[in-house]
Amino acid sequence: MTRPSRRPAAAGGARTGRRAGDSGTREAILAAGRAQFAEHGYDGATIRAIAAAAGVDPALVHHFYGTKERLFAAAMQLPVVPSEVITAALAEGGRGPGESAGEHLVRSALTVWESDLVRGAFVALLRSALTSDRAAAMLREFLTEAILGPVANLVDGGDPATTPFRASLIASQMVGLALTRYVLRFEPVAAASADELAAAIGPAIDRYLAGDIKNP
Amino acid sequence: MTRPSRRPAAAGGARTGRRAGDSGTREAILAAGRAQFAEHGYDGATIRAIAAAAGVDPALVHHFYGTKERLFAAAMQLPVVPSEVITAALAEGGRGPGESAGEHLVRSALTVWESDLVRGAFVALLRSALTSDRAAAMLREFLTEAILGPVANLVDGGDPATTPFRASLIASQMVGLALTRYVLRFEPVAAASADELAAAIGPAIDRYLAGDIKNP
């Protein structure tokens, strides 16, 4: 497995004095992140506490990982950053002619999930959420942040108070699609192409995004 | 392996010498069922083989459990028989005024899932499917049969060839709803009432049931 270089050009020579080079520092931050996320959950873990546990300056964590979401994705070995994938999927410019946001989201999600890198990771995340309340909480907090932002951008013509409900309804259909296709392998959903699933499920997502949804 | 035929006490008090009466016979059938389902899957297990393993006549299995689905539900300690719940939910007579089939299905499913008896069992089933390919296959085969029949009855005005796709799309949304509400506990889906979820998700189910769905 090849990975991108661990040494960003700009990293200069930030050292902790205990470890040699960027690679060790990055690993220490990831290990501290995993431990802090596991102990305090996604919301409870802070960049500051993770930096302290890794023995580095918080600025260095930001330098290497940018945001908490990106650090989480790296610590959990997620090969993508969900909010970035979702934002890209929902961007109007990225859609094909006549393609709705819902269709595009379904197609994009399937493409990401079915890349060699992601496939196992996604099922592993679901599995850990099903076997541990703590892992479920972590995944929930993480996905809430990852999905809410991009969805909020799309419903800003409507009532923004409905955004969390819309986001969790979308999550319910997308998580269910993943479970049905990859774990239960229900036919013909398991064998259908991304285009076929986008046509079948996209309109449901569009309704959750922009249809008449009454807030609970 | 065959054992001496075992008849129910009601049929004349036959004994094996090890177990007394109906209760022991029922337990022997359930144990044989669990073993056969685990070894051969839902589709592969036959009433005949289960009866042979339990050392009873197949007619006795039918007498106690009726159908393979009912035997499976009992062996897995499911407190309900899914196809019966779904059939009842989709029956026009059982719906409230102005209530669509999709709304009624969502409301009924939530009621069943949230009965004290079912709640843990459902999550346990999902968990076993996520951790074992064999359990996933068993759940898939079982749900396929449980959902396909009732759904086929509703789309018989349309193209019956689309029934399996419609059924698996409905499964994707319903399984996703359960996972989002009970395992991930995504808000506000987790806290919403059955009525609120029926209003939000019901139309998506109606579209999968009767809308324009193109077969893969």
Side-chain angles (χ1 to χ4, degrees):
Chain A
M1 176 173 152
T2 56
R3 288 205 212 158
S5 163
R6 286 233 175 86
R7 221 178 56 175
R15 306 269 160 135
T16 63
R18 291 189 296 119
R19 295 180 190 84
D22 284 358
S23 166
T25 307
R26 279 173 167 269
E27 281 305 319
I29 293 170
L30 287 186
R34 270 189 286 271
Q36 293 285 315
F37 287 129
E39 191 173 346
H40 302 291
Y42 182 75
D43 287 347
T46 64
I47 294 283
R48 181 181 301 269
I50 290 165
V56 302
D57 193 88
L60 198 60
V61 178
H62 283 294
H63 171 73
F64 279 133
Y65 294 103
T67 62
K68 186 160 85 171
E69 187 193 359
R70 284 176 150 273
L71 173 60
F72 181 85
M76 299 295 136
Q77 301 186 289
L78 301 184
V80 296
V81 182
S83 72
E84 297 173 8
V85 172
I86 298 171
T87 299
L90 296 181
E92 208 161 340
R95 285 183 230 152
E99 188 184 43
S100 75
E103 284 166 3
H104 195 67
L105 182 64
V106 172
R107 197 177 277 111
S108 300
L110 291 168
T111 304
V112 170
W113 290 340
E114 282 157 31
S115 71
D116 287 347
L117 279 172
V118 182
R119 194 150 185 160
F122 193 80
V123 172
L125 260 185
L126 281 181
R127 185 175 293 156
S128 67
L130 271 169
T131 48
S132 151
D133 283 348
R134 186 163 286 191
M138 203 161 68
L139 186 59
R140 171 182 65 242
E141 293 162 1
F142 172 63
L143 286 180
T144 299
E145 184 173 311
I147 298 176
L148 264 188
V151 170
N153 289 337
L154 270 194
V155 297
D156 63 2
D159 176 3
T162 62
T163 299
F165 195 35
R166 293 178 190 277
S168 57
L169 290 167
I170 292 169
S172 79
Q173 175 61 87
M174 297 305 287
V175 166
L177 170 60
L179 197 68
T180 311
R181 184 167 168 92
Y182 306 125
V183 179
L184 297 178
R185 300 199 191 100
F186 240 109
E187 291 301 353
V189 157
S193 71
D195 285 345
E196 288 157 348
L197 290 171
I201 296 175
I205 303 294
D206 287 325
R207 202 183 132 267
Y208 291 149
L209 273 173
D212 179 28
I213 297 289
K214 282 190 186 54
N215 239 14
Chain B
M1 146 181 159
T2 54
R3 278 187 258 154
S5 176
R6 190 186 289 145
R7 281 173 296 151
R15 305 278 162 123
T16 64
R18 290 190 299 120
R19 294 185 187 82
D22 282 1
S23 163
T25 306
R26 278 172 168 271
E27 278 307 315
I29 293 171
L30 286 186
R34 271 189 286 270
Q36 293 284 315
F37 287 130
E39 190 172 349
H40 303 291
Y42 181 77
D43 286 348
T46 63
I47 294 282
R48 179 181 301 269
I50 290 165
V56 303
D57 193 273
L60 199 58
V61 178
H62 285 292
H63 170 73
F64 279 132
Y65 295 102
T67 62
K68 186 161 81 169
E69 187 194 358
R70 285 176 149 273
L71 173 60
F72 181 85
M76 299 296 136
Q77 301 188 288
L78 300 185
V80 296
V81 182
S83 72
E84 296 174 7
V85 172
I86 298 171
T87 299
L90 296 180
E92 207 161 339
R95 285 184 230 153
E99 189 184 43
S100 76
E103 285 166 2
H104 196 67
L105 182 64
V106 172
R107 196 176 276 111
S108 301
L110 291 168
T111 305
V112 170
W113 289 340
E114 283 158 29
S115 71
D116 287 346
L117 277 172
V118 183
R119 195 147 185 163
F122 193 79
V123 172
L125 260 185
L126 281 180
R127 186 175 291 157
S128 68
L130 271 168
T131 48
S132 152
D133 282 350
R134 187 163 286 189
M138 203 160 68
L139 187 58
R140 170 182 65 243
E141 292 162 1
F142 172 61
L143 286 180
T144 299
E145 184 173 311
I147 298 176
L148 265 187
V151 169
N153 289 336
L154 271 193
V155 298
D156 62 2
D159 178 2
T162 63
T163 299
F165 196 34
R166 293 178 189 278
S168 57
L169 290 167
I170 293 169
S172 79
Q173 175 61 86
M174 297 305 287
V175 166
L177 170 60
L179 198 68
T180 311
R181 184 168 167 92
Y182 306 125
V183 179
L184 298 179
R185 298 197 193 104
F186 241 108
E187 292 299 354
V189 156
S193 71
D195 284 345
E196 288 157 348
L197 289 171
I201 297 175
I205 302 294
D206 287 326
R207 201 182 132 265
Y208 292 148
L209 273 172
D212 179 29
I213 296 289
K214 284 191 184 54
N215 240 13

